Amino acid sequence: MSNAQQERAEAEKLPSEDVVGVLLQQHARIRDLFAAVRSGPEDRRRDSFSQLRALLAVHETAEEMIVRPAAKKAAGEREAEARNEEEEEANKVLAELEKLEFGGERFNTVIADFEQSVSDHADHEEREEFPALLGSLSQDERTKMGKRLLAVEKTAPTHPHPAAAGSTAMQWAAGPFASVLDRARDAVTSTSRT
């Protein structure tokens, strides 16, 4: 069974809005999108990269804003800081990927390394943070967190913003403004393709 299949199976054991279940489903989708970026026709790979970029941007922002404060209490400050540092680095790499020629040699090298880093990050969360959240929070608390996470994702930036990454306070302060700009940019870009 692949990591994505395992994540989906674990998520199905939890109520639909449980924060851990939501994140497991997203981890599975991220793994699927990396695979789609690696194979298939170029236009589909490019579209998969756009979806991957947007999902990673909103996912990481919401984790930093909603999950990390609870994880700091449940799994410890060191664990939460390590995940924030990984997300800060991921944001920088994602910003670099956006600037590279899609499918070029440098893009392919960077995205392969990035995929491994993102996979390692998800594995750390699933081994360290998620069990701590499951063990220290009630089902009701995890469901409320899941609902807040999904709400934040609806208004989170869809492009990487390395200056805010890794800081919960910066995400709350700068995120809404960055999101408006990103979503306008996405709308203009999507209408120019049609």
Side-chain angles (χ1 to χ4, degrees), residues 54-156:
L55 177 54
L56 283 171
V58 299
H59 174 85
E60 290 174 358
T61 297
E63 280 185 334
E64 289 175 19
M65 294 170 76
I66 303 301
V67 177
R68 238 12 66 64
K72 191 179 284 189
K73 292 176 186 171
E77 189 167 335
R78 224 170 147 185
E79 177 64 27
E81 286 305 312
R83 300 299 73 82
N84 275 349
E85 288 171 12
E86 291 167 358
E87 288 174 353
E88 183 177 5
E89 182 59 29
N91 227 280
K92 292 174 186 173
V93 175
L94 199 53
E96 177 187 357
L97 282 165
E98 275 193 310
K99 295 175 186 169
L100 294 174
E101 176 189 344
F102 181 84
E105 187 177 328
R106 176 79 177 134
F107 178 91
N108 292 335
T109 299
V110 172
I111 199 155
D113 291 342
F114 184 55
E115 180 177 8
Q116 185 60 54
S117 295
V118 169
S119 179
D120 291 346
H121 172 77
D123 292 345
H124 281 291
E125 288 178 338
E126 292 169 19
R127 272 194 323 270
E128 306 296 331
E129 279 187 336
F130 294 1
L133 293 172
L134 289 167
S136 67
L137 299 174
S138 71
Q139 178 59 67
D140 186 52
E141 290 170 317
R142 291 193 321 270
T143 299
K144 286 178 183 174
M145 275 182 70
K147 288 177 181 180
R148 284 196 320 268
L149 180 109
L150 292 168
V152 164
E153 286 182 342
K154 288 179 182 175
T155 60

Side-chain angles (χ1 to χ4, degrees), residues 25-76:
Q25 289 285 2
Q26 290 178 358
H27 285 180
R29 179 71 179 135
I30 288 164
R31 291 180 199 278
D32 292 344
L33 286 168
F34 269 115
V37 170
R38 279 189 267 114
S39 61
E42 185 175 332
D43 60 328
R44 282 196 177 158
R45 290 180 19 244
R46 188 181 304 270
D47 183 55
S48 294
F49 176 71
S50 291
Q51 291 177 47
L52 175 66
R53 182 245 324 126
L55 177 54
L56 283 171
V58 299
H59 174 85
E60 290 174 358
T61 297
E63 280 185 334
E64 289 175 19
M65 294 170 76
I66 303 301
V67 177
R68 238 12 66 64
K72 191 179 284 189
K73 292 176 186 171

